[in-house]
Amino acid sequence: MAHSARVEAVQDSIERPARNIEWAQAPGGVSGIRNKYPSEVFGQDVFGLSALSSALPKPVYQRFLQQVQGRQQLDRPTADAVAHAVRVWAMDRGATHFTHWFQPQTGTTAEKHDCFLTLKTVLVNGFEQTTAIDAFSGSQLLQSEPDASSFPNGGMRSTFEARGYTIWDTTSPMFIRRGPHGTSVLYIPSVFISYNGQALDEKTILLRSAEVLSNAAVRLLRILGDTETKRVYTTLGSEQEFFLIDRSLYNLRPDLKMTGRTLLGVPPPKHQQLEDHYFGQIPSRVLATLSETEYELYKIGVPVKTRHNEVAPNQFEMAPIFEESSVAVDHNLVLMEVLHQVAHRHKLKVLFHEKPFKGVNGSGKHANWSMSTDIGDNLLDPTLRPETNYRFLLFLVATLDAVHKHGGLLRAGIASASNEHRLGANEAPPGIVSVFLGDHLSEVLDAVQENRAVKNFSQPHLQTVKVGGTVLDLKVPTLPTIARDLTDRNRTSPFAFTGNKFEFRAVGAKQSPSLPIVLLNSAVAASLNALSDELIKAKGAKPELTEVDLVTVIKKFIVASKNIRFESNNYSDDWVKEAERRGLPNIKSCPVAFKQLLEPANKQLLTSLGILTEEELQSRYHILVEKYAKDLLIEGNTLKSMVVNAILPAAYAYRKDLADSLSSQKSLGIDISTAPEFGTLNTLTKLVSELKSATDSLASVIDRVESLHGDDQGVAAGNDLTHAMEVVREKADALEAQTADKLWPFPKYTELLF
């Protein structure tokens, strides 16, 4: 039965007709009609400023801009006008409902749909007459009321303390998403707080951290003589990696359905060792899925830019154009949701788990982060001569200082039960947080520190100095020269400088990028304030800062943060030893990483800046520990169920087949001691016994972990439960290699990955 289901699923995936959609069209092209360009489709379902300016009277629109740009609360008349305008716009596009779309601490999003329909009752000749109308008020736009006790809250809310609020985030545009029967829903990006105002979501603290960093950066710019910049914002581009597998096969794997990863399975003979999947031709069914996903994303204003095969079989990546961080986080979560829905239409299943398959690369979400002024200047752009670009050097060394002082905090931001399988696995950065700058910038900082000129990086006969970097001479006349970046890329580094931004490579594919960016923003803001204090001290009574003042402060921060810089292989054992010598923490487990949130220096950072109150910080710590233990218990119970209910019975059946065969041979007078089945039966019997024993031990560990609470449960789950599961997997995988394929109850890696 199990084997036939596997065969049918594979046959169905081969014979299933491809899904096609009609791309929106416009007049033009060779035939007189063409597909609309991405720019023509982009944002058509977004209620942005252009739509708002068209719908509102000019004075009301100007008042809205002044209040939003001035970081003020909307007054009620303006909110009512915006609510009416967005309702008409949305309903003209099929919207019947609206939702305050928010980001609870679950790693995903939440929404509750309310209809625009309402009933109006009036007295007519002494009788009540009820009329149905469509309405949407300013108060409905500004806030809604979900149940705060039903979301992770870390003890800040009890079951009987259910009231919470979602509040419209005016910095993120509203949009509609298409639903069934030609209808749609108006999405209102929102924050989520408790009845007493505590942050219960990921977005509130992201907005707080953005404000704090902006204030610190503008303060530094003022000291440098910049009187025009009013705001600095962080930019973010999240490269989203994922696997796509056939949904019929997915449905036959309880572990994938329950946990997002395979808890057992033998890697196939061929996987990624030939290095032929990365940037290879995208399979047609996958390309159709990604193309439809892009089309849906363009319409709601998500600027997805790149798609390609990743390293592992059936692994892919989509990456966007960089945006302001809070909007970029919204768009990353929308991308994940849309990709999930579109894959479903194509009979595929998207896997965002960081390590769904053993033996091949896992998936990350490389967070490309920088800082920019409100007039578009990238503060991490080295320009032509970074050694004399003191503004760049100040923001660079502030970032280095932040990572050096709070590397443990950044490690906490990327810790999860799923990402733990990926970090340090020779495919992703290890638990030691360090910074890669590249040869050129490292030389610049060393030269500043040592009061000497920067070395010339040009190489005679191979390259010549060119504006913006160097030019490689390919020695092929028909090929053009190419501009070479100032720095190479180091894919082993958790935090690498890549031209004009930092790439936080350790972020997990499944998680929201919000918390890692919150912690990074907070640490950098504190270091910017420390820099400003040092510059003010260096300036003293002088009318303005001198070059000597700037270099002196920059040099101080270069020296103080030098231990965090590492330019070589982060996977090597030598780096582990060197990092220990430098005093850098090597955090290998989630329970240890989570405790970094409560370290005095980190707690002081987050509470003093107003990112989190002590109560909110404690709450988040407890949520992370609890989720970690729950994730592992779900895995443990799922694995136990698969072994007891499917794998052991399959092994028993195969053992019976072998025994029956040997019995038949013996009845014919054949010496069974030399029969191949005899050796296989002995091997199988030994493996079955070992697997049964390991599964019994796993069950005991599960019972013990379930009886614990809080930190004790998290530590026991991380140490004892993961070890017990690994022992069971080892025995089950060995059994898979020995059991007849027709009896194996679950789709194998060969079927899932190829």
Side-chain angles (χ1 to χ4, degrees):
M1 180 67 180
H3 183 258
S4 63
R6 286 166 51 198
V7 171
E8 289 172 6
V10 172
Q11 288 177 337
D12 179 63
S13 69
I14 296 171
E15 298 169 358
R16 184 184 305 130
R19 168 185 164 84
N20 292 306
I21 64 165
E22 291 294 328
W23 191 282
Q25 296 188 319
V30 176
S31 62
I33 190 164
R34 59 169 175 82
N35 285 347
K36 283 189 173 180
Y37 304 144
S39 59
E40 294 174 306
V41 175
F42 188 81
Q44 70 178 38
D45 288 343
V46 178
F47 191 69
L49 290 180
S50 59
L52 192 60
S53 64
S54 301
L56 291 179
K58 190 172 182 179
V60 178
Y61 176 68
Q62 291 299 325
R63 190 163 65 244
F64 171 81
L65 287 183
Q66 290 170 1
Q67 292 173 355
V68 171
Q69 293 174 352
R71 329 300 282 178
Q72 302 170 7
Q73 293 182 346
L74 286 184
D75 60 51
R76 185 51 57 85
T78 304
D80 284 336
V82 173
H84 175 76
V86 74
R87 179 186 66 80
V88 172
W89 174 86
M91 294 190 73
D92 284 347
R93 288 158 178 78
T96 56
H97 291 69
F98 65 92
T99 179
H100 283 78
W101 180 67
F102 59 102
Q103 302 164 24
Q105 295 172 71
T106 58
T108 182
T109 62
E111 56 192 67
K112 178 188 72 170
H113 297 184
D114 288 303
C115 188
F116 288 118
L117 175 71
T118 190
L119 299 178
K120 182 178 182 181
T121 303
V122 296
L123 285 175
V124 179
N125 298 324
F127 294 94
E128 287 189 353
Q129 182 171 317
T130 301
T131 304
I133 61 171
D134 297 303
F136 187 49
S137 67
S139 60
Q140 289 175 305
L141 168 65
L142 291 176
Q143 73 178 61
S144 182
E145 185 182 321
D147 184 344
S149 67
S150 297
F151 292 98
N153 57 71
M156 289 198 297
R157 298 267 83 192
S158 300
T159 303
F160 61 89
E161 297 173 314
R163 195 180 298 276
Y165 301 106
T166 52
I167 303 171
W168 176 32
D169 171 21
T170 57
T171 66
S172 189
M174 292 178 278
F175 56 95
I176 60 170
R177 291 189 62 186
R178 305 294 175 172
H181 320 305
T183 65
S184 61
V185 177
L186 173 66
Y187 279 69
I188 306 167
S190 304
V191 301
F192 178 40
I193 62 172
S194 73
Y195 177 68
N196 294 317
Q198 298 111 327
L200 296 177
D201 65 340
E202 303 282 12
K203 174 171 265 201
T204 300
I205 59 173
L206 179 61
L207 295 175
R208 289 175 183 170
S209 73
E211 202 69 25
V212 166
L213 184 140
S214 176
N215 292 338
V218 170
R219 179 192 177 206
L220 176 56
L221 292 174
R222 290 287 182 272
I223 294 171
L224 297 177
D226 180 345
T227 59
E228 296 183 2
T229 299
K230 296 182 175 60
R231 183 169 175 263
V232 169
Y233 58 92
T234 61
T235 59
L236 178 66
S238 297
E239 302 170 21
Q240 181 68 56
E241 296 175 345
F242 53 90
F243 284 80
L244 280 169
I245 64 172
D246 186 83
R247 187 150 54 90
S248 298
L249 294 169
Y250 164 84
N251 285 329
L252 297 175
R253 292 283 310 213
D255 47 1
L256 284 175
K257 294 176 69 174
M258 293 294 103
T259 73
R261 77 179 182 101
T262 54
L263 299 175
L264 45 83
V266 178
K270 175 185 180 293
H271 40 87
Q272 65 186 46
Q273 68 267 52
L274 295 181
E275 301 174 329
D276 56 350
H277 191 260
Y278 189 59
F279 278 29
Q281 184 176 12
I282 301 174
S284 57
R285 192 165 156 211
V286 172
L287 184 58
T289 302
L290 301 187
S291 179
E292 185 174 346
T293 299
E294 289 173 336
Y295 182 52
E296 296 291 335
L297 291 171
Y298 291 151
K299 289 191 291 185
I300 55 177
V302 180
V304 62
K305 177 77 170 176
T306 302
R307 64 191 184 205
H308 64 81
N309 286 8
E310 259 299 334
V311 172
N314 273 355
Q315 187 186 34
F316 309 93
E317 178 182 297
M318 299 181 78
I321 298 171
F322 301 172
E323 304 174 275
E324 186 171 353
S325 290
S326 61
V327 176
V329 169
D330 285 356
H331 283 172
N332 176 253
L333 296 174
V334 169
L335 183 151
M336 295 171 72
E337 292 175 4
V338 172
L339 181 55
H340 167 79
Q341 292 175 345
V342 174
H344 192 83
R345 299 171 198 162
H346 289 260
K347 309 301 182 184
L348 295 172
K349 176 62 182 180
V350 61
L351 304 177
F352 292 115
H353 194 286
E354 285 81 358
K355 193 71 172 178
F357 301 103
K358 184 178 182 179
V360 299
N361 276 14
S363 299
K365 192 194 304 272
H366 302 164
N368 294 275
W369 175 93
S370 189
M371 293 173 278
S372 181
T373 69
D374 50 8
I375 59 172
D377 284 347
N378 184 348
L379 296 172
L380 289 179
D381 182 0
T383 63
L384 302 182
R385 294 180 60 83
E387 61 270 27
T388 58
N389 185 342
Y390 297 124
R391 186 183 73 173
F392 162 73
L393 290 175
L394 286 165
F395 279 90
L396 177 67
V397 298
T399 306
L400 294 176
D401 181 68
V403 179
H404 182 243
K405 288 179 178 175
H406 300 286
L409 186 63
L410 297 183
R411 174 68 176 86
I414 49 97
S416 69
S418 53
N419 208 22
E420 200 168 36
H421 293 284
R422 169 177 166 264
L423 295 178
N426 281 4
E427 64 187 73
I432 306 166
V433 177
S434 64
V435 178
F436 169 82
L437 293 180
D439 291 341
H440 190 201
L441 280 185
S442 293
E443 166 60 19
V444 168
L445 296 192
D446 290 345
V448 172
Q449 178 185 342
E450 297 165 12
N451 294 318
R452 60 173 175 79
V454 176
K455 295 176 183 175
N456 188 348
F457 272 72
S458 65
Q459 299 176 21
H461 310 301
L462 290 179
Q463 58 188 34
T464 56
V465 177
K466 179 179 180 292
V467 172
T470 58
V471 173
L472 296 181
D473 182 1
L474 303 178
K475 304 301 183 185
V476 179
T478 57
L479 294 178
T481 57
I482 61 170
R484 187 174 77 163
D485 292 319
L486 293 177
T487 60
D488 200 349
R489 293 187 66 185
N490 185 339
R491 65 180 303 276
T492 73
S493 175
F495 199 78
F497 190 79
T498 55
N500 58 5
K501 63 188 184 302
F502 281 99
E503 184 179 17
F504 196 178
R505 294 180 52 87
V507 179
K510 192 171 73 169
Q511 74 176 114
S512 165
S514 180
L515 182 59
I517 299 306
V518 166
L519 301 179
L520 177 59
N521 286 352
S522 304
V524 172
S527 292
L528 288 172
N529 282 329
L531 261 174
S532 294
D533 292 342
E534 290 292 332
L535 289 172
I536 290 172
K537 189 187 303 182
K539 177 184 175 184
K542 298 191 295 290
E544 60 184 25
L545 286 165
T546 66
E547 185 174 344
V548 172
D549 295 333
L550 292 169
V551 171
T552 300
V553 172
I554 291 169
K555 187 188 302 184
K556 180 178 180 180
F557 276 73
I558 290 173
V559 173
S561 64
K562 193 162 188 176
N563 279 348
I564 203 66
R565 290 159 47 195
F566 183 66
E567 301 297 311
S568 190
N569 183 6
N570 285 254
Y571 298 159
S572 68
D573 293 335
D574 289 342
W575 168 232
V576 174
K577 298 173 185 175
E578 172 64 16
E580 183 177 6
R581 187 188 67 77
R582 296 186 187 188
L584 301 179
N586 183 6
I587 301 173
K588 299 179 181 179
S589 71
C590 287
V592 177
F594 297 148
K595 282 190 177 294
Q596 291 293 314
L597 291 170
L598 305 182
E599 284 292 312
N602 295 330
K603 181 188 288 189
Q604 169 68 17
L605 168 78
L606 296 170
T607 56
S608 65
L609 292 176
I611 309 299
L612 290 160
T613 65
E614 284 204 31
E615 185 181 23
E616 289 171 336
L617 187 57
Q618 287 283 348
S619 163
R620 282 170 194 270
Y621 169 75
H622 291 308
I623 289 171
L624 289 169
V625 172
E626 183 180 23
K627 185 177 187 306
Y628 175 71
K630 285 179 177 178
D631 284 343
L632 292 179
L633 282 168
I634 290 170
E635 288 189 355
N637 279 304
T638 301
L639 179 58
K640 180 183 72 172
S641 172
M642 292 175 71
V643 171
V644 171
N645 297 326
I647 292 178
L648 285 175
Y652 297 153
Y654 186 43
R655 188 168 61 170
K656 182 179 183 300
D657 287 349
L658 292 170
D660 289 347
S661 174
L662 289 169
S663 178
S664 298
Q665 293 178 57
K666 185 176 182 180
S667 67
L668 295 173
I670 299 173
D671 181 7
I672 63 172
S673 64
T674 60
E677 294 95 330
F678 188 79
T680 302
L681 180 59
N682 286 337
T683 300
L684 193 73
T685 299
K686 181 175 182 293
L687 288 173
V688 168
S689 177
E690 291 174 346
L691 177 58
K692 179 65 168 64
S693 175
T695 305
D696 291 342
S697 297
L698 172 62
S700 298
V701 172
I702 290 172
D703 290 341
R704 182 165 58 81
V705 172
E706 286 180 334
S707 70
L708 300 173
H709 302 282
D711 291 359
D712 292 339
Q713 187 180 57
V715 171
N719 293 335
D720 304 336
L721 185 52
T722 55
H723 174 71
M725 285 192 292
E726 190 56 41
V727 173
V728 170
R729 175 168 197 156
E730 179 186 345
K731 304 304 180 184
D733 288 355
L735 196 59
E736 178 186 337
Q738 294 292 329
T739 303
D741 182 73
K742 68 178 183 179
L743 295 176
W744 195 252
F746 305 117
K748 297 183 176 182
Y749 274 31
T750 304
E751 297 154 345
L752 291 167
L753 291 174
F754 294 96

